[in-house]
Each structure stands twice: as structure tokens, then as C-alpha cells.
Amino acid sequence: CAKAKRMTISVSKLGNGLKIATRSMPHTTTLSIGIWVNAGARDEQDDEQGIAHMLEHMAFKGTKRRDAQAIATEVENVGGFMNAHTSREETAYYLRLLPEHLDLGVDILADILTESTLPIDEIERERGVIIQEIGQSLDTPDDLVFDLFAAACYEGHSLGRPILGTVDSVSTFSQQDLEAFLRRYYGAGQMLFCAAGALDHGDLVRRIDARLGMIGDAKFVTRHPASWAAGRKLVKRDLEQSHVVFGLPTAVENMVDRFSLMALSTLYGGGMSSRLFQQVREKRGLCYSIFSFAALHSDGGTFAVYAGTSASQVDEMLSVCAGELATLASGVKDDEVARAKAQIRANLLMSRESVSSCADALARQIILFGRPQPDAKILDAINEIDGEKIAGMATGLIAGVTPSIACVGPSLDIMSNGELAERLLV
């Protein structure tokens, strides 16, 4: 406990607008550092589907001072780990390394984000890699169904498009296209540098200022709000199971709402003691895998359920899931509330033992809420969760909204969105 009390969160902003946030963890022996860019698949124009993801791949393929092999070798020579990801609203580049190699880590991140050369031969090579990645996703039904679900929720909007793009779109990207996207979004005001571990905030700020303090801002195109499509995307495949996702729109305005939503997801479909696991799998044997989840973005989100079941049992599975959510809206048992809060609290505290988890959580708090949230405030928000708040969250989800449905399986004969909506209100 004494060690935990010495952990501090600090935030600074350089003169050019670049934000730097750190979680000092003196008891750790490693560091996690990364840069989160406020640009993802949602920010692509119609002819740019997949370009944010491709640019993420290209960041490691060469700079003015390092080729692709040198980037990988320098990091791994000191035992470091480097990776990146692209989501619908962000692209992140991060390293895990020892504190004595902080200068190298900052230099590598600054190099790949400000000095990438985007070599044409590497673009062609990586184009082939990404097309293979798209093919693998299309061949994996429990991946494909989530892309279909996004399209069902936000059809006609960039939030509904696959992050990887399409074979056709990825096949057309040129060096000039990648450079244009980079210029549009990769500026100081759109970047957040986050770090966690054995570090000093002021020292890190000085190092970053020396490497990134002179970069300029970038044009940021305003995001267009998405409207709920309540769509239906079904793909017939010769499979043993039907992979199904259905969901509803949601939004959180504060920390208590966020954790009330997490508690709802936890007790509804978050583990072996959850209602869905017990009712759908244990009591009825309708599936092997089933879970609920919430996916939040800057102006909304979704609350959804995934399950894999036989084609003949899809409707029964959907009916049970809908009935359980409707029941939750009418009231939640005290023991369920206590169990959900215990799981969320334990999850939070366990994650604080990982520098990578801490850096990632810090970035997400700032992206979602505009500022970091101290652990004490988070624990207070968890303590405020009660049955009334969870039931209210469930009521808000099902009140007058038609769900979206996606399915990949041997049969497309499943209940309509309207029928599912009726069962949610029973």
C-alpha cells in the first residue's frame, strides 16, 4: 500500500499542443511509452477505407535515419517490445522497455511518427500483407460477424466500415495518399504521449520537448455524428455454427454511468456466473461461447451480445438473451450487484500491476473524458453503483430502440429485428 500511494498521475502540454501524460510507478522495473493519435478508421474519406491501418503498418517500414530492420533491431537489441494498433477513432504506437533505454524509446517513436519515408517498395510489400490480413478476417466467421455488426449499426457511416478496409480500397493507396492522411491528422494537437512505470514526469517532458517540441499542428476534419441504423447483415456460410451479434446504442456522460454500464455487462454476460452464461449455456446448452460487451466511442457506443450456436437454436438463444435483459431492466438482485462491483474493482486493481495496462488506461481516460481519472475517484464511482443505476441503464438501452443484428452461418432464417425488439420489452 505504501508503494501504491507514491504512484502519481501528471499531465503537461508542450507549446505546440502535444499532450504528455504519465503515471509514475516507482516500484516497477519497466516502462511503457506510446503515442496515441486522434485518427482512425472513422476519419477516413470514402476512398480511404483502411488507410489509417495501412499507415500504422508503414510507420515501422523506414525513416530518414533507419530502415525497417534497423527499427526492429534497435528495439530488440535492448530487450524491448514494440507494437501498434488502429481502432475506429485512434491509432497508437507503443514500446515496452527498461528505464535506462527511455531515450531510445522516445527517439524511435518520434522518428517513426515524424520522419517516416513511406518507401514505395515497402508500400507494395505491406499492401500484400494487409490483403492477406483481410482475407484471414473474411475466412474467420467470429471476426467477420463483428465487422458485419458495425455495418448493421452504422450503415453508410465511416463507423460502420471495417478497420482493415477492403481489398479494392487497399489495392489503390499510393505514397501520396498515405502522406495526405498523415498531414491531415498527425500533428502535435492530435497526439497524446502516454507513459507509465519507473519515470520522472518532468524529465520525460524535457526529453519529448527536445524531440517533438518543434512539430506543427495538423488539419483535423470534424467528425460527423452517426445515427443508429438498426440494420441487419446476414452472410450464409457452410459452417457448423451460426455466429451472431446483436446490440443497441448506448452512451455514457460521466464516470458513474460508465461503471454502471460495465456492471450491467458483467452481471448480464461477463463471466461464468453471469445471467447469459447460466441461462443460455448452463441451463439450456444453447451455445459454447456467449458474452456481452460495451464499445464506446467519442459520441456514443454500442452494448451488444455475441454467441455461437447451431442454426436451429438461434431464435431460442436470442429470445433468452432478450428476456434476460428485459428482466434486468425491472430490477437487479443485491448479490449480483455486489459480485459485479467486486469483479470490476478487482479488475481495476489487478491492471494497476502492469505498466502497459496503466499507460493504455491513462490514454483511454483522456480520450474519453478529456482528463485522467485518479484511482480514488474511479473506486468512488464503482462504490456508487447500485441496483437502481444498473436497472436504469438496462431500461435506457431497450426503451423504444430497435436492435441491430449480424449473423454468419448456415441459415439466414432468424427472427427479424422487430421481433427481437418486442422480446426486449417483455
Side-chain angles (χ1 to χ4, degrees):
C1 291
K3 290 180 178 178
K5 290 179 181 177
R6 293 200 299 268
M7 294 194 293
T8 57
I9 294 175
S10 304
V11 181
S12 297
K13 182 187 285 189
L14 300 184
N16 60 358
L18 175 66
K19 287 183 179 179
I20 303 165
T22 63
R23 185 182 184 99
S24 177
M25 304 166 69
H27 59 287
T28 61
T29 56
T30 62
L31 290 176
S32 178
I33 64 173
I35 293 182
W36 276 255
V37 183
N38 189 25
R42 178 178 186 170
D43 303 298
E44 298 165 347
Q45 297 176 5
D46 290 344
D47 59 351
E48 293 180 327
Q49 295 182 44
I51 201 168
H53 174 254
M54 189 169 187
L55 188 58
E56 171 221 312
H57 276 236
M58 289 303 302
F60 300 106
K61 297 304 176 181
T63 71
K64 294 177 182 178
R65 293 190 290 124
R66 298 174 172 96
D67 61 18
Q69 183 174 351
I71 293 171
T73 300
E74 287 189 45
V75 173
E76 294 181 359
N77 276 349
V78 297
F81 169 79
M82 177 174 58
N83 208 342
H85 73 255
T86 305
S87 72
R88 285 184 163 78
E89 293 196 320
E90 70 185 42
T91 308
Y93 306 84
Y94 39 89
L95 290 91
R96 178 87 179 268
L97 67 168
L98 301 180
E100 57 263 36
H101 305 305
L102 176 59
D103 269 339
L104 173 65
V106 170
D107 188 54
I108 290 282
L109 286 174
D111 204 24
I112 65 176
L113 290 179
T114 64
E115 302 291 342
S116 286
T117 53
L118 306 175
I120 292 175
D121 59 333
E122 290 286 359
I123 289 174
E124 294 307 317
R125 189 174 297 115
E126 212 57 30
R127 191 194 313 279
V129 170
I130 293 171
I131 288 173
Q132 292 296 322
E133 189 177 358
I134 293 170
Q136 179 177 309
S137 176
L138 293 174
D139 285 345
T140 308
D142 50 351
D143 283 348
L144 174 60
V145 73
F146 286 99
D147 280 342
L148 293 173
F149 177 66
C153 294
Y154 306 111
E155 188 163 14
H157 191 277
S158 54
L159 275 174
R161 300 196 294 232
I163 293 170
L164 300 181
T166 67
V167 171
D168 288 343
S169 64
V170 171
S171 297
T172 66
F173 297 147
S174 67
Q175 185 184 59
Q176 291 73 29
D177 295 328
L178 293 166
E179 289 172 343
F181 190 85
L182 189 150
R183 286 194 302 270
R184 196 159 77 236
Y185 291 109
Y186 278 56
Q190 288 76 44
M191 291 184 183
L192 168 66
F193 194 110
C194 274
L199 53 80
D200 176 82
H201 179 78
D203 175 64
L204 179 64
V205 170
R206 287 188 290 274
R207 293 172 193 250
I208 296 172
D209 195 16
R211 286 295 284 113
L212 295 172
M214 301 303 292
I215 66 171
D217 213 342
K219 178 183 178 183
F220 182 82
V221 180
T222 302
R223 286 172 173 158
H224 299 293
S227 57
W228 185 254
R232 182 178 179 88
K233 298 291 182 181
L234 311 179
V235 171
K236 191 170 184 177
R237 290 279 179 88
D238 185 15
L239 302 170
E240 292 296 322
Q241 278 197 318
S242 289
H243 299 265
V244 184
V245 180
F246 78 89
L248 297 153
T250 188
V252 297
E253 296 182 0
N254 53 55
M255 188 64 70
V256 175
D257 282 352
R258 180 189 180 196
F259 284 105
S260 294
L261 183 66
M262 288 177 63
L264 172 62
S265 184
T266 298
L267 63 88
Y268 177 54
M272 294 176 66
S273 63
S274 69
R275 291 196 180 192
L276 291 186
F277 193 92
Q278 289 297 314
Q279 292 295 329
V280 179
R281 173 176 162 155
E282 295 295 280
K283 292 186 179 180
R284 292 174 174 83
L286 295 176
C287 67
Y288 173 74
S289 177
I290 186 167
F291 58 86
S292 62
F293 62 95
L296 299 177
H297 47 79
S298 57
D299 55 358
T302 56
F303 181 85
V305 173
Y306 162 84
T309 187
S310 64
S312 63
Q313 295 177 309
V314 171
D315 281 0
E316 183 181 358
M317 181 273 297
L318 288 172
S319 294
V320 176
C321 291
E324 287 300 321
L325 189 54
T327 301
L328 281 169
S330 64
V332 183
K333 298 176 182 177
D334 289 344
D335 63 323
E336 289 181 302
V337 176
R339 184 164 60 248
K341 290 170 68 170
Q343 289 181 54
I344 295 170
R345 187 183 297 108
N347 221 15
L348 170 72
L349 296 176
M350 290 176 185
S351 72
R352 293 300 183 256
E353 297 179 359
S354 163
V355 292
S356 297
S357 294
C358 284
D360 188 65
L362 185 57
R364 295 191 184 284
Q365 287 167 11
I366 294 173
I367 289 168
L368 277 178
F369 300 107
R371 60 186 181 279
Q373 304 295 321
D375 287 351
K377 185 175 180 179
I378 294 174
L379 291 170
D380 286 343
I382 295 171
N383 288 334
E384 285 187 45
I385 298 170
D386 57 28
E388 185 177 346
K389 289 185 175 66
I390 296 172
M393 191 65 65
T395 300
L397 285 169
I398 65 178
V401 180
T402 301
S404 293
I405 301 175
C407 178
V408 180
S411 172
L412 305 184
D413 185 22
I414 66 175
M415 72 170 62
S416 70
N417 299 47
E419 288 176 300
L420 182 57
E422 290 175 2
R423 283 167 171 74
L424 284 166
L425 296 174
V426 172

